[in-house]
Amino acid sequence: MISTRLLGRLLIGVAVAGLIAGLIAWQLDKDVAATWIWGLATLPVVVSLAASIVRDLMAGRMGVDAVALLSMSAALALGETLAGVVVAVMYAGGNVLEDFAVSRAERNLKSLTDRAPRIAHRYTDGTLEDIDVEQVAERDRLLVRTGEIIPVDGVIMQTGVESNVVIDEAALTGEPIPVQRHAGEPVRSGAINAGVPFTLQATATASESTYAGIVAMVAAAQTAQAPFIRLADRFALLLLPLAVVVAGGAWILSGDPVRGLAVLVVATPCPLILAAPVAFISGVSQAARRGVLVKGGAALEAMARAYTILFDKTGTLTIGGARLVAVETAPGADPNEVLRLAACLEQASHHVIAQAIVTAAESRGLTLVPPTDVREDLGAGLAGTVEGRRIAAGSLTMTTGGNQRANWVDRARRRASWRSALSVFVTIDGELVGALLLGDSLRREAPRAIRALREAGIGRIVMVTGDHADAAETIGAALDLDAVLANRVPADKVDAVNFEKKRHPTLMVGDGINDAPALAAADIGIAMGARGATASSEAADAVVLVDRLDRVADAIAIAKRSRRIAIESIIAGMALSLIAMGFAAAGHLTPVAGAILQEGIDVAVILNALRALVPPGLGIRSSLPEEAARLLRKEHEEVESWLDQLRAHADALDDAQGIEAVAHIADANRIINDEIVPHEREDEDTVYPQLVPHLGNAHGLAAMSRAHREIQHLGRLLDRLVTGIGEEEADRYLIRDAQRIIESVDALVRIHNAQEEDIFDFAAG
């Protein structure tokens, strides 16, 4: 059986060949032969189109190509075979052009299915065998060789050598830089092993793995049709009676049936038929390039209409999971040393809090040694020996027995409550020296994403979370959200979605299993699927494959732009067709000229719809390499450790006097003028000039340069204050002035770094 695509190519081939052969015969004064050749070339297109319309009618649909059928049939009946064959070329060529446009737009999606893994290497009774990927079961041990696609979701067990596993996740996330994974960490199917071979323990079958879900969503994206496209089909039906009435009127008033034929030729609704599907499929493809997989035109069209957006908090607006947010210390204690000793001890635990502490220490470049004589009190903490000292980390009761209490402890608890953070107290040889505050933190890109959503036309942004009100309202205030709904269970989230749906088209964004019902209830659901979240991904209409919230704003902007381009294409194409109908009815267009004109309109409409494939602003600026942005953020992590030390000095000055106060002020001065100020000068002299080409202009960096000057000014003030200071000069007024300068630098640099990271992310595209 001939495929639809092959049939379309055969029809355009016959029509073009007949048109050319007829023109040659006409040039040789073989007018009768030319007429027959053109008529015979038109006939297959007429028959194919008639069969297509009959199938539509039998399925309960009215074929919108009826005008084309009517015009070609009338041309054959009136002997205007040249006009008939030109219309045949126009119709068959339009279908082939649409097929090309759709294939071009779907190329990004199809590439996912083409590279799906087929074979897995499984260990069975100590031997290695190749099996079909569908035969992999949970807990199977698999070998993933260098350069191979990971066949199923799983956990890294071990590598062949003492080395980290390097994974290329570009096909899943769009990020070009490979990432390192360690034993015990999860990896997803579809990623490529870019490093040494490793053993993988399967945690899901092939059909339940990440890549299978992506392939299923691709299939849905290729078959779903947007309501807007179906609306365009219905609107096209209005053209049929209009064209018949105008053509009949032209015939009756002029007495020339050819004039009526000319009206039918230019009334073919190809612009309406082609523009919407091409624009929306192009938008789906463009979203896929940005790491957002949209399940077809229907989801994209619904996304374009969204007015209200609801966000889950944990894992969506925030990073999700425990992160070190601050180190509080007793007067005189070094924050980095407190963190290092605690991390050395926590290496012996598999608890998620322990892993967060170790990760924080490693990110600061602290050297860790293995602990000995470790005893863990489940749910409370653990104690052990590190470098000959007895270290304990856990609750206040576990570490001190509740016998030690100091003013800084109350301060640490108060600051922990502000951040909704967990406190891990640390003792050294029985003395309480610090507290590690761990909590969930706002995503770095969240403020920029919220701003971009408002710029894209979202009128109301709501956070709905199961977390308690204090933590939720803190996040809501930081992002300037329109409403915050706290203490909501999954059923409450569904109620919130349904309430918002009654007022405006509503979009829900979430990441966890508990978000799946709300995602399904919304007009459109978007799942943050970079970390697995199978249930939420299946319930959603779109999945963000990159762990970045700003891609949600990108997807909405793409959807709105695709819809706008579709509307522009339809309006322009139909307006031109209606104008041409008027000229044809007045006798200013012959059927042949009208057919050629209509072909030009079709081509223009499709080319305009294909603009949805091109990112907006293409060519205006280049993107900062992701590796460069990553290195800049790495430098900020080092700055964060200096700021923690500054904060510790500022806190210590609450109680310090005399020589102790002078020591704190002097070390704070060293950190500011020997570490922070040189860093800011390097940014000004080296980094900012590199950013200008990626920002379009230097205007956005002017305020950042102003912050650099203020930081340097504060550094000079503190240096002047501390120079020549003696114990007797360190009265409470001088100490308070120094404390204010230190706290000002701490606050200014923290907000300055956050603004710079926004700029880095924008420059990286």
Side-chain angles (χ1 to χ4, degrees):
M1 184 175 180
I2 299 177
S3 67
T4 303
R5 181 169 296 180
L6 178 58
L7 178 61
R9 292 175 179 174
L10 289 174
L11 290 176
I12 185 61
V14 170
V16 170
L19 175 61
I20 295 172
L23 289 173
I24 293 173
W26 180 70
Q27 285 289 332
L28 297 174
D29 294 326
K30 305 290 186 181
D31 294 352
V32 176
T35 300
W36 276 98
I37 291 172
W38 288 330
L40 290 174
T42 305
L43 195 58
V45 180
V46 172
V47 172
S48 174
L49 179 54
S52 174
I53 291 176
V54 169
R55 285 195 299 270
D56 286 342
L57 290 172
M58 293 178 64
R61 301 188 303 269
M62 177 61 185
V64 294
D65 294 327
V67 175
L69 177 62
L70 191 59
S71 63
M72 285 186 285
S73 301
L76 293 178
L78 295 173
E80 294 284 342
T81 54
L82 176 57
V85 76
V86 172
V87 173
V89 170
M90 175 186 70
Y91 174 77
N95 286 342
V96 171
L97 189 58
E98 178 190 12
D99 182 65
F100 166 77
V102 171
S103 298
R104 170 70 177 83
E106 290 178 343
R107 191 175 302 163
N108 283 22
L109 303 178
K110 187 174 182 297
S111 65
L112 291 172
T113 59
D114 289 344
R115 66 183 297 281
R118 304 282 190 269
I119 300 296
H121 315 298
R122 182 173 66 185
Y123 288 103
T124 304
D125 298 327
T127 62
L128 196 63
E129 61 174 348
D130 288 349
I131 61 171
D132 187 272
V133 71
E134 299 298 332
Q135 295 179 272
V136 175
E138 289 187 39
R139 304 191 68 79
D140 278 356
R141 292 173 61 248
L142 309 175
L143 174 65
V144 182
R145 298 189 175 111
T146 302
E148 287 187 338
I149 298 173
I150 298 173
V152 296
D153 293 352
V155 175
I156 299 170
M157 295 184 66
Q158 61 183 21
T159 62
V161 296
E162 288 298 322
S163 176
N164 294 329
V165 174
V166 180
I167 303 296
D168 180 358
E169 297 182 333
L172 301 179
T173 66
E175 296 296 336
I177 307 301
V179 297
Q180 290 193 352
R181 296 283 184 262
H182 309 282
E185 289 191 299
V187 290
R188 294 179 291 166
S189 61
I192 297 175
N193 178 16
V196 298
F198 65 90
T199 302
L200 175 79
Q201 183 174 57
T203 58
T205 62
S207 61
E208 296 174 342
S209 291
T210 299
Y211 210 77
I214 293 174
V215 171
M217 286 186 287
V218 170
Q222 291 174 329
T223 57
Q225 188 183 38
F228 183 84
I229 297 174
R230 295 193 292 271
L231 177 63
D233 288 343
R234 290 195 295 271
F235 183 70
L237 294 179
L238 299 177
L239 189 65
L240 177 58
L242 176 63
V244 172
V245 169
V246 175
W251 182 1
I252 293 170
L253 293 175
S254 67
D256 183 5
V258 175
R259 190 176 292 189
L261 173 61
V263 172
L264 292 176
V265 167
V266 297
T268 306
C270 290
L272 196 63
I273 298 168
L274 302 179
V278 170
F280 278 112
I281 294 174
S282 297
V284 169
S285 178
Q286 182 57 229
R289 291 181 185 178
R290 296 294 295 162
V292 183
L293 193 57
V294 184
K295 298 179 183 178
L300 196 76
E301 197 273 330
M303 199 181 295
R305 293 185 294 106
Y307 177 88
T308 300
I309 182 167
L310 285 83
F311 282 102
D312 172 50
K313 181 180 78 72
T314 305
T316 302
L317 292 173
T318 64
I319 294 173
R323 298 288 191 280
L324 182 70
V325 295
V327 180
E328 299 291 333
T329 60
D334 180 2
N336 279 344
E337 182 65 6
V338 171
L339 175 59
R340 187 185 74 85
L341 292 173
C344 290
L345 178 63
E346 297 286 1
Q347 291 178 107
S349 174
H350 296 290
H351 196 280
V352 63
I353 297 298
Q355 294 172 7
I357 294 172
V358 173
T359 299
E362 290 175 342
S363 69
R364 296 190 181 191
L366 303 179
T367 302
L368 305 185
V369 298
T372 58
D373 191 24
V374 178
R375 176 182 57 81
E376 184 166 7
D377 186 356
L378 293 178
L382 68 167
T385 301
V386 176
E387 297 175 339
R389 290 178 286 182
R390 193 64 181 169
I391 309 298
S395 67
L396 188 62
T397 302
M398 180 266 174
T399 53
T400 68
N403 297 324
Q404 294 187 34
R405 195 61 177 263
N407 291 335
W408 75 266
V409 173
D410 294 331
R411 182 185 65 206
R413 284 183 157 181
R414 183 170 58 253
R415 290 176 175 176
S417 68
W418 290 345
R419 295 171 177 242
S420 299
L422 172 72
S423 301
V424 176
F425 289 91
V426 181
T427 63
I428 301 177
D429 293 329
E431 181 182 353
L432 192 60
V433 294
L436 310 180
L437 307 190
L438 297 108
D440 198 5
S441 56
L442 194 66
R443 285 179 180 267
R444 180 187 292 112
E445 73 276 12
R448 185 177 66 259
I450 297 299
R451 185 171 61 252
L453 285 169
R454 297 201 186 276
E455 292 173 354
I458 297 298
R460 178 172 167 81
I461 302 178
V462 179
M463 182 174 69
V464 54
T465 176
D467 207 347
H468 58 82
D470 288 344
E473 288 170 2
T474 299
I475 297 295
L479 296 176
D480 193 24
L481 303 182
D482 297 301
V484 174
L485 306 177
N487 299 307
R488 288 333 195 245
V489 298
D492 296 330
K493 292 184 179 182
V494 173
D495 291 340
V497 168
N498 289 332
F499 174 79
E500 296 293 343
K501 281 174 63 178
K502 294 176 183 177
R503 304 169 62 191
H504 299 287
T506 298
L507 187 151
M508 172 73 191
V509 183
D511 77 311
I513 294 175
N514 64 326
D515 297 321
L519 291 171
D523 292 311
I524 181 166
I526 300 181
M528 302 294 291
R531 301 176 188 173
T534 303
S536 59
S537 297
E538 290 177 354
D541 302 288
V543 179
V544 181
L545 300 175
V546 186
D547 194 23
R548 287 180 55 172
L549 186 64
D550 54 354
R551 297 300 169 88
V552 174
D554 290 347
I556 291 176
I558 289 169
K560 290 181 179 292
R561 182 169 179 265
S562 299
R563 190 173 190 270
R564 184 174 64 252
I565 289 173
I567 292 173
E568 290 172 354
S569 300
I570 289 171
I571 292 175
M574 294 309 299
L576 291 173
S577 294
L578 291 172
I579 293 171
M581 286 171 63
F583 276 92
H588 299 304
L589 279 177
T590 66
V592 174
I596 294 173
L597 177 62
Q598 184 63 48
E599 179 71 8
I601 294 173
D602 293 346
V603 172
V605 163
I606 291 177
L607 291 178
N608 185 66
L610 280 173
R611 287 194 300 120
L613 271 176
V614 182
L618 184 67
I620 295 177
R621 64 179 180 87
S622 60
S623 294
L624 180 71
E626 178 61 30
E627 178 65 17
R630 189 185 65 80
L631 290 175
L632 292 172
R633 296 190 199 101
K634 187 69 176 176
E635 291 178 5
H636 277 185
E637 291 178 2
E638 185 177 6
V639 174
E640 288 289 330
S641 69
W642 298 335
L643 296 178
D644 285 344
Q645 294 178 55
L646 283 185
R647 182 173 289 178
H649 284 309
D651 289 341
L653 288 174
D654 286 341
D655 303 311
Q657 297 178 1
I659 193 63
E660 182 185 355
V662 171
H664 283 298
I665 297 171
D667 195 53
N669 183 60
R670 177 193 62 80
I671 293 171
I672 292 173
N673 286 293
D674 294 351
E675 305 288 359
I676 295 176
V677 168
H679 168 81
E680 303 301 343
R681 283 176 179 158
E682 183 180 2
D683 278 358
E684 183 73 31
D685 298 338
T686 305
V687 176
Y688 282 16
Q690 295 175 4
L691 287 174
V692 171
H694 308 294
L695 297 176
N697 59 66
H699 301 313
L701 296 175
M704 308 304 293
S705 297
R706 176 70 180 84
H708 287 166
R709 293 193 295 273
E710 182 63 22
I711 293 167
Q712 293 173 27
H713 172 65
L714 290 171
R716 285 193 297 270
L717 287 181
L718 186 62
D719 188 61
R720 187 186 308 169
L721 189 69
V722 77
T723 300
I725 186 176
E727 178 181 353
E728 61 280 359
E729 288 91 2
D731 57 29
R732 61 191 180 94
Y733 300 108
L734 184 145
I735 293 172
R736 183 60 188 133
D737 286 342
Q739 193 177 37
R740 284 173 176 164
I741 294 173
I742 295 168
E743 289 172 341
S744 296
V745 171
D746 175 48
L748 178 57
V749 174
R750 287 183 192 275
I751 193 169
H752 178 69
N753 282 358
Q755 292 169 330
E756 280 189 338
E757 287 171 5
D758 269 355
I759 293 174
F760 297 160
D761 289 339
F762 175 78

